Amino acid sequence: MCGRYVIISTPEAIRALFRYGEQPNFPPRYNVAPTQPIPVVRLHDGKRSFALMRWGLLPSWVKDPKTFPLLINARGESVLEKPAFRNAMRRRRCLIPTDGFYEWQALGKAGTPKRPYFVRTKRGADGTAPPLAFAGLYETWTGPNGEELDTAAIITTTANRTLSAVHDRMPVFVAPEAFDLWLDCANVEASVAAALIAPADEALLEVHEVSTAVNRVANDSAALIAPVPAVAAPAAVNPPAAKEKKAKSPKPSDDQASLF
């Protein structure tokens, strides 16, 4: 799944990629979380348009949001049939700008904390990683008093080999040359657009472990995407000679640094 992501490119860079008419100004965000407002690109009157929506899709037929689960992801394998997503897949497909996302690796042992990883576009020779587009769906939910809430979800699929060691799912990315195909719900059938729902090419992404500070939603800084320093392997110790008396291990002093 995709439960946290990053959008840190400048508003100008995002606008240049998605070619919408608006000129929004928004700060870099290193820890976007469910229920928060997120940038979304959709077609409005035949033109690409920028909008802010809540991350967590609410189908229009939901009566009470408090009793409905938070749908931050939509499984690509079932978006054409699932009641929560099929209408949006036909009529309300969108793109969600991103500069990468976080995933957590389960280590198998019960009670062992999961390791967070950051995934982004492979950096070029200049060291920069260009922004990407998640495939998304959106709905406008109308409340009993006529209030409206625009909501969105990110489509996921089976992880590629690059990501499979960390998690078995990954977000679906839409390439710039396919933006029109994905967004044009009036002229492109849902079944045709669904052909874009596939794991990312192996050459697209890179992944590295990051600090568990990302687990806390309140943390939001560039330090979150910095690689965790590799732990050096302990130096090899030669066994004592057969005729030598083995020395007793000294007790660690109170001021000795500890890894645990």
Side-chain angles (χ1 to χ4, degrees), residues 10 39 49-50 59 75 81 90 101 112-113 138 155 157 169 173 180 185 189 192-193 198 222 229:
T10 64
S49 177
F50 176 98
R75 291 181 68 91
E81 294 85 25
R90 291 171 189 156
F101 67 99
T112 304
Y138 74 94
I155 297 179
T157 188
R169 306 288 297 176
F173 295 100
D180 288 336
C185 300
E189 294 289 336
V192 175

Side-chain angles (χ1 to χ4, degrees), residues 49-74:
S49 177
F50 176 98
L52 289 176
M53 299 186 182
R54 188 196 78 159
W55 186 12
L57 187 140
L58 270 178
S60 58
W61 42 261
V62 171
K63 301 299 182 186
D64 184 1
K66 294 179 181 177
T67 62
F68 193 77
L70 190 65
L71 302 178
I72 63 171
N73 294 155

Side-chain angles (χ1 to χ4, degrees), residues 17-18 41 48 89 93-98 121 130-137 153-157 170-184 192-201 204-205:
L17 175 62
F18 291 91
V41 180
R48 295 184 193 177
M89 185 63 189
R93 299 188 296 269
C94 65
L95 298 169
I96 300 174
T98 180
T121 317
L132 296 164
F134 290 140
L137 303 173
I154 296 169
I155 297 179
T156 67
T157 188
M170 70 180 301
V172 173
F173 295 100
V174 180
E177 60 269 22
F179 283 0
D180 288 336
L181 189 152
W182 181 257
L183 291 173
D184 193 355
V192 175
L196 297 175
I197 299 175
D201 187 274
L204 179 66
L205 304 170

Side-chain angles (χ1 to χ4, degrees), residues 55-181:
W55 186 12
L57 187 140
L58 270 178
S60 58
W61 42 261
V62 171
K63 301 299 182 186
D64 184 1
K66 294 179 181 177
T67 62
F68 193 77
L70 190 65
L71 302 178
I72 63 171
N73 294 155
R75 291 181 68 91
E77 298 87 340
S78 56
V79 288
L80 293 174
E81 294 85 25
K82 282 275 187 180
F85 304 120
R86 63 190 178 197
N87 286 337
M89 185 63 189
R90 291 171 189 156
R91 303 184 183 94
R92 287 173 289 279
R93 299 188 296 269
C94 65
L95 298 169
I96 300 174
T98 180
D99 286 281
F101 67 99
Y102 299 100
E103 195 51 83
W104 281 259
Q105 180 188 47
L107 300 179
K109 262 189 166 183
T112 304
K114 295 181 179 180
R115 290 179 179 170
Y117 288 79
F118 180 58
V119 187
R120 66 179 168 196
T121 317
K122 282 186 177 177
R123 287 164 292 180
D126 61 355
T128 62
L132 296 164
F134 290 140
L137 303 173
Y138 74 94
E139 284 280 11
T140 299
W141 179 81
T142 304
N145 299 316
E147 65 273 27
E148 292 187 345
L149 179 64
D150 290 330
T151 64
I154 296 169
I155 297 179
T156 67
T157 188
T158 305
N160 62 12
R161 285 185 299 169
T162 304
L163 271 294
S164 60
V166 175
H167 200 276
D168 62 350
R169 306 288 297 176
M170 70 180 301
V172 173
F173 295 100
V174 180
E177 60 269 22
F179 283 0
D180 288 336
L181 189 152

